[in-house]
Amino acid sequence: MDPHPSRRRFLQTGASGLLTTGLLSTGALGGIAASFATPCRADSSAPHATKSSLTQPVAGNVPMPKISLNTSTIRGHELPVPEQIRVTAEAGFDAIEPWIRDLRSYVDGGGKLSDLRQQLDDSGIEMAGAIGFAKWIVNDPAERTVGLDEARRDMEMVRQLGGTVMAAPPIGAHTESALRDSGPIDLEVIAERYRTLLDIGDEIGVTPLLELWGFSPTLSRLGELAYVATAAAHPSAAVLPDFYHIYKGGNSMTSLAMIEASRMPLFHINDYPDQPPPATIADKDRVFPGDGVCPLVETIAMLLKHGFAGTFSLELFNPDYWKRPVAEVTRDGFQKSKAVIEQAVVKATADSRS
């Protein structure tokens, strides 16, 4: 099968399945032709509410989503996990999304997950998810078995920390060279492998979220993401989009309306400049929400109007931020994310009343 199905083929083979499995939002097909083109920036003068307001509706009946810190944002500060939790809580975030390799380093150094769980509870922040790189998708059976065993260990760790989801990116099939060595992977095959991963997740109580990687030859398109999640034919199937990766992969933000909001429990939030173009833009070019040209307010308002109730997790890799004091980075990251999301909540509320 062509791993990049045409729009016509996707609509013919995937739409009915998306509707029956709950991955396609009701009425989404009617709006797929529209697109967001106007860049939107957050109003930097907008008031910053306290953390406790995040669980309350803002300006109406559209609830304010929770905001998490993906620790890639402070990766260059090289903090141990307890310090990552501390600075995340002090900045006002509701949750944290650590990297599995940092958790493993903590445990390998003699730390106890039970102590981290207690710190999370005492700090009043949740485990939004975690970033792991288990090779669940690869063609080599032995390598895939090792990857699934790794994924199981990763999910066990997440569960012990109170988490219920974690990222499942297409690692091992995310470069052209990897696919040249192993051969292409059809979408139906990816769906079977994702279903196996979901079965493991169900045993543990942690859902692996199919993650979009815009630079990858595999799962760089929202249509591919939705197709695989649907073809997996598993009740726990869910996806993890990312504003930067949507742009990098040449997708339309409006296509998010095709995916049922409840199947996006976690969403990576970030922004990007108008240059470099998608072909050459890289992770290091990501900027704080509102500091770039991504139509965040309009897109988030659309998600909220469709019932999105997940967590937005700030994921950046900007080395310039790593040169600044970590407290400044986490504070600015939280406040800028919150300002954008609040504007989207206000817009969604106003739109729903008009």
Side-chain angles (χ1 to χ4, degrees):
M1 175 183 170
D2 179 1
H4 297 281
S6 67
R7 179 178 182 274
R8 177 184 296 276
R9 184 160 186 255
F10 172 71
L11 291 175
Q12 289 174 339
T13 62
S16 61
L18 285 164
L19 287 167
T20 57
T21 59
L23 271 159
L24 181 63
S25 59
T26 304
L29 286 173
I32 194 61
S35 65
F36 290 121
T38 304
C40 180
R41 301 174 185 269
D43 180 1
S44 60
S45 65
H48 302 306
T50 60
K51 177 180 176 181
S52 61
S53 71
L54 293 175
T55 58
Q56 303 299 320
V58 176
N61 58 359
V62 176
M64 180 77 180
K66 293 180 179 179
I67 307 175
S68 170
L69 177 71
N70 181 303
T71 56
S72 66
T73 304
I74 54 173
R75 176 181 172 186
H77 294 88
E78 299 182 348
L79 300 178
V81 178
E83 281 297 292
Q84 293 176 4
I85 295 174
R86 180 186 65 79
V87 299
T88 299
E90 289 179 354
F93 288 94
D94 300 282
I96 188 170
E97 187 185 13
W99 284 41
I100 289 292
R101 68 183 182 195
D102 290 343
L103 296 174
R104 284 183 185 151
S105 178
Y106 171 80
V107 172
D108 291 344
K112 297 180 180 179
L113 291 178
S114 58
D115 291 340
L116 289 184
R117 176 67 182 270
Q118 187 63 56
Q119 185 185 1
L120 289 169
D121 292 343
D122 292 343
S123 300
I125 61 174
E126 301 173 0
M127 183 79 166
I131 303 299
F133 297 101
K135 295 183 178 180
W136 60 273
I137 195 173
V138 295
N139 277 330
D140 182 81
E143 189 177 15
R144 193 166 64 253
T145 297
V146 172
L148 290 173
D149 289 341
E150 180 181 345
R152 182 183 294 275
R153 292 193 299 272
D154 293 350
M155 288 188 279
E156 286 280 7
M157 192 175 295
V158 171
R159 182 186 59 80
Q160 291 183 54
L161 292 172
T164 58
V165 300
M166 72 170 292
I171 188 73
H174 65 292
T175 64
E176 295 288 353
S177 60
L179 293 181
R180 280 197 300 270
D181 293 339
S182 66
I185 311 175
D186 289 345
L187 292 182
E188 286 90 346
V189 174
I190 296 175
E192 292 171 3
R193 294 171 185 173
Y194 180 48
R195 182 167 60 246
T196 299
L197 189 64
L198 287 164
D199 286 339
I200 294 173
D202 275 1
E203 293 174 18
I204 296 169
V206 173
T207 300
L209 306 178
L210 197 64
E211 186 174 12
L212 185 78
W213 273 8
F215 61 86
S216 171
T218 308
L219 300 182
S220 65
R221 307 287 296 177
L222 284 169
E224 294 170 340
L225 201 73
Y227 186 98
V228 169
T230 303
H234 195 289
S236 299
V239 299
L240 173 51
D242 177 305
F243 288 109
Y244 163 80
H245 282 300
I246 292 171
Y247 174 71
K248 175 67 176 176
N251 300 275
S252 165
M253 294 292 172
T254 305
S255 297
L256 287 166
M258 292 289 291
I259 302 173
E260 167 58 35
S262 65
R263 300 303 181 114
M264 295 182 281
L266 189 63
F267 202 121
H268 287 159
I269 187 172
N270 38 58
D271 209 331
Y272 44 81
D274 58 354
Q275 293 294 326
T280 56
I281 199 168
D283 279 332
K284 65 180 179 60
D285 299 311
R286 302 186 194 202
V287 294
F288 288 128
D291 287 354
V293 297
C294 179
L296 288 171
V297 172
E298 291 93 335
T299 307
I300 294 173
M302 176 194 71
L303 291 169
L304 294 172
K305 286 186 288 184
H306 281 252
F308 178 84
T311 296
F312 285 107
S313 188
L314 178 66
E315 186 183 58
L316 306 173
F317 295 85
N318 193 317
D320 289 338
Y321 297 159
W322 299 341
K323 300 173 185 176
R324 297 171 50 188
V326 67
E328 288 185 10
V329 175
T330 53
R331 180 199 64 206
D332 290 354
F334 172 71
Q335 291 180 348
K336 287 174 179 283
S337 299
K338 185 169 179 287
V340 164
I341 296 170
E342 281 187 337
Q343 290 181 54
V345 168
V346 172
K347 177 174 174 53
T349 298
D351 290 348
S352 66
R353 290 175 172 176
S354 62

